[in-house]
Amino acid sequence: MSNKPFTVEPWDEYNKELVDNVRPPEWNDPQPADIYNMVVIGAGPAGLVAAAGAAGLGAKVALVERHLIGGDCLNVGCVPSKCVISSSRAASALAGAAATGISAGKLEVDFAAVMKRMRRVRAGISENDAADRFRKLGVDVFIGAGKFTGRDTVEVNGKTLKFKKAVIATGARPAIIPVEGLEEAGYLTNETVFSLTELPPRLLVMGAGPIGCELAQAFQRLGSKVTVAARSRLLSKDDPEASGIVFEQLKKDGADVRLNTKVIRVTAAPSGKEITLSTDGSESRIEVDEILVAAGRAPNVEGMGLEAAGVAYDTKRGVKVDATLRTDNRRIFAAGDVCLKYQFTHSADAAARIVIQNALFAGSKKVSSLTIPRCTYTHPEVAHVGPYDPPAESELDVYKVEMRDVDRALADGEPDGFVKIFTRKGKDEIVAATIVAAHAGEMISEVSLAISGRIGLGKLAGVIHPYPTQAEAIKRCADAYSRTRLTPTVAKLMKKWMAWQRK
């Protein structure tokens, strides 16, 4: 490991605590074992779960990380973004408090304090991913760039690690769309935006996927004037109705949301950055102080010697794996964002568990067997479980409840959204569900359990939900299914039965 000091901006007590945990400046790599049951390259969620799980089962494991242990999730993804989103929701609640009969006075946002709180929380959570913690779990931790030198060897910091099995878990990074003048003008990504200590007065967000929508709303609510440039619609992989609700909320928050819009060029201006936009072929110009690029992800496959290991990969789609997450080299598996279509921390965790079974115990579990929910943490949240490409609607029954018809949502002042559950035509087998609600990420797990446990929608009708809760909307969808069982023929028979009982 290099002796060069490693810092994270701004260099304060909390970022120092973070680095001390996930990239200790005085760390000394261990002496490699003669051979490892498993070598894991990449210490994000997938790599950490694979390493800890395998070591817990008695395997000799090496974990290699070139940057910060914890990966994107801890350092520049889930953890810092949700901290900032939490603060932005507090600001929004105070701004709208008058509607609940509460006078909150003038809203003042201390952005530096918001970011300081984020760094404090992140530093505390980093203890879970600390290098020393994994060393105590029996994992040999190497901090440096790992590179395959053969079909069963990895080199790191001049040391050779020989393995029986290996896992590639190097994750992904922000994809940058080529735009004239963008590099010269400078921009932010999720890897740099959380280093800010001053709020950008005017912010352009390029991209309208989950990261773009979440951070656009958060920065707007914290006081930036945000413009969103969406190449098509918001959240293009989600239900169009859900997309529309998020669009209306962002506009209500004050953001300038431009659909079907491309960034043509960026030029330096005396007081900022001038952006040329094209919306449905019509050009316009705006001026901003910062640009946040949130236009997708690119897998980290370069510079690892994958060719030497006999591992096929694609620079856009990542490492090529079969249904069991095995690569072309039967000794080597992959997990997480470097190979999966579903790029979430929880899917990386689940994939790593599959790799442990298949790599160490000759298992054959397939990633397709997983039921993977997802959630975008805008307000309201958008959660979904089920395939990206579900069966045609002609093959499905749809049960929908609007949140405006749910008592608790009205009491909370959160009427925007819906619960929509899809079942196979004429059956109660749940295929998919979309929830748009203030707490959709919490609510979707009930439906995920039903799908993975093969529990039909009819059974959910029998689950007693506390009143009043927003999750009651799920039960009301189930009740709607139950009512379909009361066919005209059944209703006629029931009427006759009741008449007979009155005799």
Side-chain angles (χ1 to χ4, degrees):
M1 174 181 169
S2 170
N3 291 323
K4 182 180 178 181
F6 189 92
T7 62
V8 176
E9 298 300 328
W11 190 241
D12 63 1
E13 60 182 308
Y14 301 120
N15 277 344
K16 182 179 183 302
E17 180 183 350
L18 172 74
V19 171
D20 284 346
N21 280 330
V22 300
R23 191 184 170 97
E26 304 301 325
W27 186 262
N28 292 313
D29 291 342
Q31 185 63 31
D34 292 337
I35 190 166
Y36 288 96
N37 295 102
M38 181 180 285
V39 169
V40 181
I41 302 180
L48 293 178
V49 171
L57 294 170
K60 187 63 178 174
V61 179
L63 176 65
V64 181
E65 172 55 53
R66 66 181 177 84
H67 192 44
L68 299 173
I69 296 175
D72 270 20
C73 183
L74 170 67
N75 298 292
V76 294
C78 313
V79 171
S81 67
K82 301 314 167 281
C83 288
V84 174
I85 288 170
S86 177
S87 294
S88 75
R89 288 184 178 179
S92 179
L94 287 171
T100 67
I102 305 298
S103 177
K106 182 181 178 182
L107 176 66
E108 293 185 7
V109 173
D110 184 342
F111 184 75
V114 168
M115 301 305 277
K116 184 176 182 179
R117 171 189 176 270
M118 176 274 293
R119 295 192 298 274
R120 174 175 56 80
V121 173
R122 180 175 61 182
I125 292 175
S126 72
E127 293 180 4
N128 297 323
D129 295 347
D132 194 55
R133 174 174 177 264
F134 277 79
R135 181 185 61 79
K136 291 175 180 176
L137 291 174
V139 176
D140 284 356
V141 179
F142 296 83
I143 300 181
K147 183 175 183 179
F148 288 100
T149 53
R151 297 183 67 84
D152 62 354
T153 53
V154 169
E155 184 180 279
V156 56
N157 298 332
K159 298 178 178 179
T160 297
L161 314 181
K162 189 173 177 58
F163 59 81
K164 285 289 188 179
K165 297 292 190 297
V167 182
I168 301 168
T170 48
R173 63 187 184 278
I176 306 301
I177 298 175
V179 173
E180 180 185 337
L182 180 62
E183 288 290 341
E184 293 79 3
Y187 56 87
L188 301 166
T189 68
N190 72 288
E191 293 182 343
T192 54
V193 70
F194 300 112
S195 295
L196 291 177
T197 55
E198 294 183 7
L199 182 73
R202 301 164 300 175
L203 176 68
L204 171 69
V205 178
M206 289 176 57
I211 295 173
C213 287
E214 288 177 4
L215 293 182
Q217 185 177 60
F219 274 82
Q220 178 68 38
R221 289 180 166 189
L222 291 172
S224 290
K225 176 55 184 172
V226 174
T227 301
V228 179
R231 293 177 70 88
S232 56
R233 61 179 174 89
L234 305 185
L235 302 175
S236 60
K237 293 182 179 179
D238 280 291
D239 187 310
E241 189 177 356
S243 169
I245 292 173
V246 174
F247 173 75
E248 292 299 330
Q249 182 59 56
L250 279 171
K251 288 203 304 181
K252 191 184 300 183
D253 289 331
D256 178 8
V257 184
R258 305 194 184 193
L259 307 182
N260 304 313
T261 297
K262 297 179 182 179
V263 178
I264 302 301
R265 78 182 59 85
V266 180
T267 56
S271 55
K273 302 170 183 180
E274 186 177 275
I275 314 296
T276 302
L277 302 171
S278 175
T279 303
D280 293 323
S282 177
E283 287 195 4
S284 61
R285 290 177 177 80
I286 62 171
E287 194 173 282
V288 300
D289 300 288
E290 290 287 359
I291 301 168
L292 173 63
V293 178
R297 309 279 290 165
N300 293 320
V301 293
E302 298 86 355
M304 284 195 296
L306 294 179
E307 297 85 355
V311 173
Y313 66 93
D314 182 291
T315 55
K316 291 184 178 180
R317 294 182 177 85
V319 172
K320 294 182 179 180
V321 293
D322 65 14
T324 66
L325 298 177
R326 192 190 296 269
T327 71
D328 286 353
N329 180 337
R330 295 188 60 79
R331 293 174 178 265
I332 301 175
F333 292 74
D337 291 2
V338 75
C339 66
L340 292 180
K341 180 179 180 179
Y342 307 97
Q343 295 190 336
F344 316 116
T345 293
H346 48 281
S347 55
D349 179 309
R353 296 168 192 268
I354 286 178
V355 165
I356 292 172
Q357 296 175 52
N358 294 348
L360 299 182
F361 300 101
S364 58
K365 187 169 183 180
K366 297 180 179 180
V367 71
S368 59
S369 68
L370 299 175
T371 299
I372 302 175
R374 67 181 189 266
C375 184
T376 298
Y377 298 93
T378 49
H379 187 259
E381 296 176 352
V382 178
H384 180 83
V385 64
Y388 272 100
D389 302 310
E393 287 202 12
S394 60
E395 301 175 28
L396 301 171
D397 289 322
V398 183
Y399 301 92
K400 180 183 176 185
V401 171
E402 300 281 355
M403 295 308 293
R404 71 174 68 96
D405 296 326
V406 177
D407 294 352
R408 178 60 185 273
L410 294 176
D412 289 342
E414 297 167 338
D416 295 331
F418 58 84
V419 171
K420 194 184 290 187
I421 298 178
F422 301 84
T423 63
R424 295 205 183 277
K425 199 77 174 177
K427 301 180 180 180
D428 76 339
E429 179 191 349
I430 301 172
V431 175
T434 295
I435 300 178
V436 181
H439 309 289
E442 305 291 342
M443 294 166 65
I444 199 69
S445 293
E446 180 176 356
V447 187
S448 298
L449 173 63
I451 293 175
S452 61
R454 299 178 184 271
I455 299 169
L457 188 55
K459 290 283 183 67
L460 290 187
V463 176
I464 299 173
H465 291 70
Y467 176 87
T469 58
Q470 294 194 22
E472 239 193 316
I474 296 172
K475 178 176 172 57
R476 292 181 62 177
C477 283
D479 288 341
Y481 164 77
S482 295
R483 287 194 293 272
T484 66
R485 300 172 69 184
L486 190 64
T487 63
T489 299
V490 172
K492 187 176 180 180
L493 290 172
M494 291 296 292
K495 189 173 182 179
K496 287 183 178 179
W497 171 255
M498 294 300 174
W500 179 81
Q501 284 194 326
R502 290 195 299 271
K503 293 180 180 180

mmCIF file of all heavy atoms in Angstrom, residues 285-315:
data_model
loop_
_atom_site.group_PDB
_atom_site.id
_atom_site.type_symbol
_atom_site.label_atom_id
_atom_site.label_comp_id
_atom_site.label_asym_id
_atom_site.label_seq_id
_atom_site.Cartn_x
_atom_site.Cartn_y
_atom_site.Cartn_z
ATOM 1 N N ARG A 285 -31.277 28.680 -23.726
ATOM 2 C CA ARG A 285 -30.059 28.826 -22.928
ATOM 3 C C ARG A 285 -30.406 29.186 -21.491
ATOM 4 O O ARG A 285 -31.327 29.968 -21.240
ATOM 5 C CB ARG A 285 -29.132 29.887 -23.527
ATOM 6 C CG ARG A 285 -28.482 29.465 -24.836
ATOM 7 C CD ARG A 285 -27.622 30.567 -25.430
ATOM 8 N NE ARG A 285 -26.938 30.124 -26.647
ATOM 9 C CZ ARG A 285 -27.509 30.058 -27.835
ATOM 10 N NH1 ARG A 285 -28.787 30.435 -27.980
ATOM 11 N NH2 ARG A 285 -26.825 29.634 -28.883
ATOM 12 N N ILE A 286 -29.650 28.606 -20.581
ATOM 13 C CA ILE A 286 -29.769 28.963 -19.173
ATOM 14 C C ILE A 286 -28.359 29.125 -18.611
ATOM 15 O O ILE A 286 -27.382 28.682 -19.212
ATOM 16 C CB ILE A 286 -30.537 27.900 -18.353
ATOM 17 C CG1 ILE A 286 -29.780 26.553 -18.387
ATOM 18 C CG2 ILE A 286 -31.957 27.746 -18.846
ATOM 19 C CD1 ILE A 286 -30.343 25.522 -17.433
ATOM 20 N N GLU A 287 -28.261 29.770 -17.467
ATOM 21 C CA GLU A 287 -26.966 29.914 -16.802
ATOM 22 C C GLU A 287 -27.056 29.298 -15.415
ATOM 23 O O GLU A 287 -28.038 29.493 -14.696
ATOM 24 C CB GLU A 287 -26.585 31.391 -16.691
ATOM 25 C CG GLU A 287 -25.118 31.614 -16.321
ATOM 26 C CD GLU A 287 -24.711 33.079 -16.384
ATOM 27 O OE1 GLU A 287 -24.490 33.585 -17.495
ATOM 28 O OE2 GLU A 287 -24.633 33.705 -15.300
ATOM 29 N N VAL A 288 -26.043 28.503 -15.066
ATOM 30 C CA VAL A 288 -26.024 27.835 -13.759
ATOM 31 C C VAL A 288 -24.651 27.998 -13.124
ATOM 32 O O VAL A 288 -23.699 28.435 -13.769
ATOM 33 C CB VAL A 288 -26.362 26.334 -13.892
ATOM 34 C CG1 VAL A 288 -27.741 26.130 -14.481
ATOM 35 C CG2 VAL A 288 -25.303 25.599 -14.708
ATOM 36 N N ASP A 289 -24.587 27.627 -11.842
ATOM 37 C CA ASP A 289 -23.312 27.679 -11.124
ATOM 38 C C ASP A 289 -22.624 26.320 -11.104
ATOM 39 O O ASP A 289 -21.398 26.238 -11.112
ATOM 40 C CB ASP A 289 -23.547 28.166 -9.691
ATOM 41 C CG ASP A 289 -24.174 29.545 -9.653
ATOM 42 O OD1 ASP A 289 -23.476 30.519 -9.961
ATOM 43 O OD2 ASP A 289 -25.389 29.629 -9.356
ATOM 44 N N GLU A 290 -23.421 25.239 -11.060
ATOM 45 C CA GLU A 290 -22.863 23.889 -11.046
ATOM 46 C C GLU A 290 -23.704 22.972 -11.916
ATOM 47 O O GLU A 290 -24.909 23.201 -12.118
ATOM 48 C CB GLU A 290 -22.809 23.315 -9.620
ATOM 49 C CG GLU A 290 -21.791 23.972 -8.698
ATOM 50 C CD GLU A 290 -20.352 23.588 -9.029
ATOM 51 O OE1 GLU A 290 -20.139 22.792 -9.962
ATOM 52 O OE2 GLU A 290 -19.452 24.082 -8.326
ATOM 53 N N ILE A 291 -23.066 21.915 -12.394
ATOM 54 C CA ILE A 291 -23.737 20.886 -13.183
ATOM 55 C C ILE A 291 -23.552 19.555 -12.470
ATOM 56 O O ILE A 291 -22.429 19.182 -12.124
ATOM 57 C CB ILE A 291 -23.132 20.788 -14.599
ATOM 58 C CG1 ILE A 291 -23.245 22.131 -15.329
ATOM 59 C CG2 ILE A 291 -23.805 19.681 -15.400
ATOM 60 C CD1 ILE A 291 -22.414 22.184 -16.598
ATOM 61 N N LEU A 292 -24.647 18.849 -12.246
ATOM 62 C CA LEU A 292 -24.593 17.502 -11.677
ATOM 63 C C LEU A 292 -24.947 16.514 -12.774
ATOM 64 O O LEU A 292 -26.056 16.534 -13.302
ATOM 65 C CB LEU A 292 -25.570 17.361 -10.506
ATOM 66 C CG LEU A 292 -25.742 15.946 -9.929
ATOM 67 C CD1 LEU A 292 -24.429 15.446 -9.331
ATOM 68 C CD2 LEU A 292 -26.851 15.916 -8.887
ATOM 69 N N VAL A 293 -23.994 15.650 -13.128
ATOM 70 C CA VAL A 293 -24.229 14.636 -14.154
ATOM 71 C C VAL A 293 -24.728 13.364 -13.470
ATOM 72 O O VAL A 293 -24.028 12.772 -12.648
ATOM 73 C CB VAL A 293 -22.947 14.351 -14.963
ATOM 74 C CG1 VAL A 293 -23.214 13.258 -15.993
ATOM 75 C CG2 VAL A 293 -22.463 15.626 -15.657
ATOM 76 N N ALA A 294 -25.957 12.979 -13.812
ATOM 77 C CA ALA A 294 -26.562 11.771 -13.239
ATOM 78 C C ALA A 294 -27.211 10.994 -14.376
ATOM 79 O O ALA A 294 -28.425 10.824 -14.424
ATOM 80 C CB ALA A 294 -27.585 12.150 -12.174
ATOM 81 N N ALA A 295 -26.365 10.552 -15.309
ATOM 82 C CA ALA A 295 -26.857 9.968 -16.559
ATOM 83 C C ALA A 295 -26.501 8.503 -16.695
ATOM 84 O O ALA A 295 -26.082 8.037 -17.751
ATOM 85 C CB ALA A 295 -26.297 10.762 -17.736
ATOM 86 N N GLY A 296 -26.642 7.760 -15.614
ATOM 87 C CA GLY A 296 -26.389 6.333 -15.691
ATOM 88 C C GLY A 296 -25.031 5.931 -15.125
ATOM 89 O O GLY A 296 -24.288 6.762 -14.599
ATOM 90 N N ARG A 297 -24.726 4.635 -15.253
ATOM 91 C CA ARG A 297 -23.547 4.060 -14.629
ATOM 92 C C ARG A 297 -22.742 3.259 -15.655
ATOM 93 O O ARG A 297 -23.287 2.714 -16.618
ATOM 94 C CB ARG A 297 -23.965 3.118 -13.496
ATOM 95 C CG ARG A 297 -24.940 3.716 -12.493
ATOM 96 C CD ARG A 297 -24.256 4.573 -11.481
ATOM 97 N NE ARG A 297 -23.453 3.779 -10.568
ATOM 98 C CZ ARG A 297 -22.520 4.288 -9.766
ATOM 99 N NH1 ARG A 297 -22.249 5.577 -9.797
ATOM 100 N NH2 ARG A 297 -21.853 3.511 -8.939
ATOM 101 N N ALA A 298 -21.438 3.183 -15.417
ATOM 102 C CA ALA A 298 -20.538 2.394 -16.266
ATOM 103 C C ALA A 298 -19.789 1.402 -15.377
ATOM 104 O O ALA A 298 -19.252 1.777 -14.323
ATOM 105 C CB ALA A 298 -19.548 3.304 -16.986
ATOM 106 N N PRO A 299 -19.721 0.116 -15.759
ATOM 107 C CA PRO A 299 -19.073 -0.890 -14.912
ATOM 108 C C PRO A 299 -17.562 -0.686 -14.836
ATOM 109 O O PRO A 299 -16.930 -0.268 -15.812
ATOM 110 C CB PRO A 299 -19.412 -2.205 -15.615
ATOM 111 C CG PRO A 299 -19.605 -1.817 -17.050
ATOM 112 C CD PRO A 299 -20.226 -0.445 -17.019
ATOM 113 N N ASN A 300 -16.992 -0.993 -13.687
ATOM 114 C CA ASN A 300 -15.541 -0.897 -13.486
ATOM 115 C C ASN A 300 -14.881 -2.212 -13.903
ATOM 116 O O ASN A 300 -14.763 -3.149 -13.117
ATOM 117 C CB ASN A 300 -15.220 -0.597 -12.017
ATOM 118 C CG ASN A 300 -15.674 0.787 -11.601
ATOM 119 O OD1 ASN A 300 -15.546 1.746 -12.357
ATOM 120 N ND2 ASN A 300 -16.211 0.902 -10.397
ATOM 121 N N VAL A 301 -14.475 -2.276 -15.170
ATOM 122 C CA VAL A 301 -13.873 -3.502 -15.702
ATOM 123 C C VAL A 301 -12.460 -3.285 -16.232
ATOM 124 O O VAL A 301 -11.751 -4.254 -16.529
ATOM 125 C CB VAL A 301 -14.742 -4.110 -16.832
ATOM 126 C CG1 VAL A 301 -16.066 -4.618 -16.282
ATOM 127 C CG2 VAL A 301 -14.994 -3.076 -17.933
ATOM 128 N N GLU A 302 -12.042 -2.030 -16.339
ATOM 129 C CA GLU A 302 -10.741 -1.748 -16.929
ATOM 130 C C GLU A 302 -9.609 -1.940 -15.931
ATOM 131 O O GLU A 302 -9.783 -1.745 -14.729
ATOM 132 C CB GLU A 302 -10.693 -0.313 -17.469
ATOM 133 C CG GLU A 302 -11.691 -0.021 -18.592
ATOM 134 C CD GLU A 302 -13.058 0.394 -18.074
ATOM 135 O OE1 GLU A 302 -13.267 0.361 -16.839
ATOM 136 O OE2 GLU A 302 -13.918 0.749 -18.908
ATOM 137 N N GLY A 303 -8.436 -2.308 -16.448
ATOM 138 C CA GLY A 303 -7.225 -2.339 -15.639
ATOM 139 C C GLY A 303 -7.131 -3.460 -14.634
ATOM 140 O O GLY A 303 -6.283 -3.434 -13.745
ATOM 141 N N MET A 304 -7.975 -4.490 -14.770
ATOM 142 C CA MET A 304 -7.958 -5.597 -13.801
ATOM 143 C C MET A 304 -7.335 -6.861 -14.354
ATOM 144 O O MET A 304 -7.350 -7.890 -13.687
ATOM 145 C CB MET A 304 -9.380 -5.911 -13.329
ATOM 146 C CG MET A 304 -9.946 -4.942 -12.331
ATOM 147 S SD MET A 304 -11.398 -5.681 -11.560
ATOM 148 C CE MET A 304 -12.484 -5.809 -12.965
ATOM 149 N N GLY A 305 -6.856 -6.812 -15.594
ATOM 150 C CA GLY A 305 -6.265 -8.004 -16.177
ATOM 151 C C GLY A 305 -7.264 -9.100 -16.462
ATOM 152 O O GLY A 305 -6.938 -10.292 -16.384
ATOM 153 N N LEU A 306 -8.492 -8.718 -16.801
ATOM 154 C CA LEU A 306 -9.519 -9.726 -17.055
ATOM 155 C C LEU A 306 -9.155 -10.623 -18.235
ATOM 156 O O LEU A 306 -9.523 -11.804 -18.269
ATOM 157 C CB LEU A 306 -10.870 -9.049 -17.299
ATOM 158 C CG LEU A 306 -11.463 -8.296 -16.094
ATOM 159 C CD1 LEU A 306 -12.788 -7.654 -16.470
ATOM 160 C CD2 LEU A 306 -11.630 -9.231 -14.906
ATOM 161 N N GLU A 307 -8.420 -10.079 -19.189
ATOM 162 C CA GLU A 307 -7.987 -10.884 -20.326
ATOM 163 C C GLU A 307 -7.071 -12.019 -19.869
ATOM 164 O O GLU A 307 -7.200 -13.159 -20.331
ATOM 165 C CB GLU A 307 -7.255 -10.002 -21.352
ATOM 166 C CG GLU A 307 -8.112 -8.908 -21.982
ATOM 167 C CD GLU A 307 -8.183 -7.642 -21.145
ATOM 168 O OE1 GLU A 307 -7.629 -7.636 -20.010
ATOM 169 O OE2 GLU A 307 -8.781 -6.663 -21.606
ATOM 170 N N ALA A 308 -6.156 -11.704 -18.946
ATOM 171 C CA ALA A 308 -5.231 -12.726 -18.444
ATOM 172 C C ALA A 308 -5.970 -13.825 -17.693
ATOM 173 O O ALA A 308 -5.511 -14.969 -17.643
ATOM 174 C CB ALA A 308 -4.176 -12.079 -17.546
ATOM 175 N N ALA A 309 -7.116 -13.456 -17.097
ATOM 176 C CA ALA A 309 -7.892 -14.437 -16.333
ATOM 177 C C ALA A 309 -8.869 -15.212 -17.206
ATOM 178 O O ALA A 309 -9.518 -16.146 -16.727
ATOM 179 C CB ALA A 309 -8.652 -13.730 -15.216
ATOM 180 N N GLY A 310 -9.000 -14.813 -18.476
ATOM 181 C CA GLY A 310 -9.960 -15.494 -19.350
ATOM 182 C C GLY A 310 -11.389 -15.130 -19.036
ATOM 183 O O GLY A 310 -12.301 -15.945 -19.200
ATOM 184 N N VAL A 311 -11.608 -13.883 -18.579
ATOM 185 C CA VAL A 311 -12.942 -13.408 -18.216
ATOM 186 C C VAL A 311 -13.442 -12.449 -19.290
ATOM 187 O O VAL A 311 -12.821 -11.409 -19.538
ATOM 188 C CB VAL A 311 -12.934 -12.703 -16.844
ATOM 189 C CG1 VAL A 311 -14.291 -12.066 -16.557
ATOM 190 C CG2 VAL A 311 -12.568 -13.698 -15.746
ATOM 191 N N ALA A 312 -14.540 -12.784 -19.919
ATOM 192 C CA ALA A 312 -15.125 -11.917 -20.946
ATOM 193 C C ALA A 312 -15.900 -10.786 -20.292
ATOM 194 O O ALA A 312 -16.526 -10.954 -19.235
ATOM 195 C CB ALA A 312 -16.045 -12.727 -21.850
ATOM 196 N N TYR A 313 -15.868 -9.615 -20.931
ATOM 197 C CA TYR A 313 -16.582 -8.459 -20.381
ATOM 198 C C TYR A 313 -16.946 -7.495 -21.497
ATOM 199 O O TYR A 313 -16.437 -7.577 -22.615
ATOM 200 C CB TYR A 313 -15.734 -7.742 -19.329
ATOM 201 C CG TYR A 313 -14.482 -7.085 -19.873
ATOM 202 C CD1 TYR A 313 -14.483 -5.747 -20.261
ATOM 203 C CD2 TYR A 313 -13.291 -7.805 -20.001
ATOM 204 C CE1 TYR A 313 -13.330 -5.152 -20.763
ATOM 205 C CE2 TYR A 313 -12.142 -7.214 -20.501
ATOM 206 C CZ TYR A 313 -12.171 -5.888 -20.880
ATOM 207 O OH TYR A 313 -11.040 -5.304 -21.387
ATOM 208 N N ASP A 314 -17.824 -6.585 -21.164
ATOM 209 C CA ASP A 314 -18.263 -5.540 -22.082
ATOM 210 C C ASP A 314 -18.161 -4.227 -21.321
ATOM 211 O O ASP A 314 -18.585 -4.158 -20.158
ATOM 212 C CB ASP A 314 -19.720 -5.808 -22.498
ATOM 213 C CG ASP A 314 -20.237 -4.795 -23.501
ATOM 214 O OD1 ASP A 314 -20.428 -3.621 -23.117
ATOM 215 O OD2 ASP A 314 -20.470 -5.161 -24.659
ATOM 216 N N THR A 315 -17.615 -3.186 -21.939
ATOM 217 C CA THR A 315 -17.399 -1.923 -21.217
ATOM 218 C C THR A 315 -18.705 -1.217 -20.867
ATOM 219 O O THR A 315 -18.705 -0.321 -20.015
ATOM 220 C CB THR A 315 -16.523 -0.972 -22.039
ATOM 221 O OG1 THR A 315 -17.113 -0.779 -23.328
ATOM 222 C CG2 THR A 315 -15.114 -1.527 -22.188
#
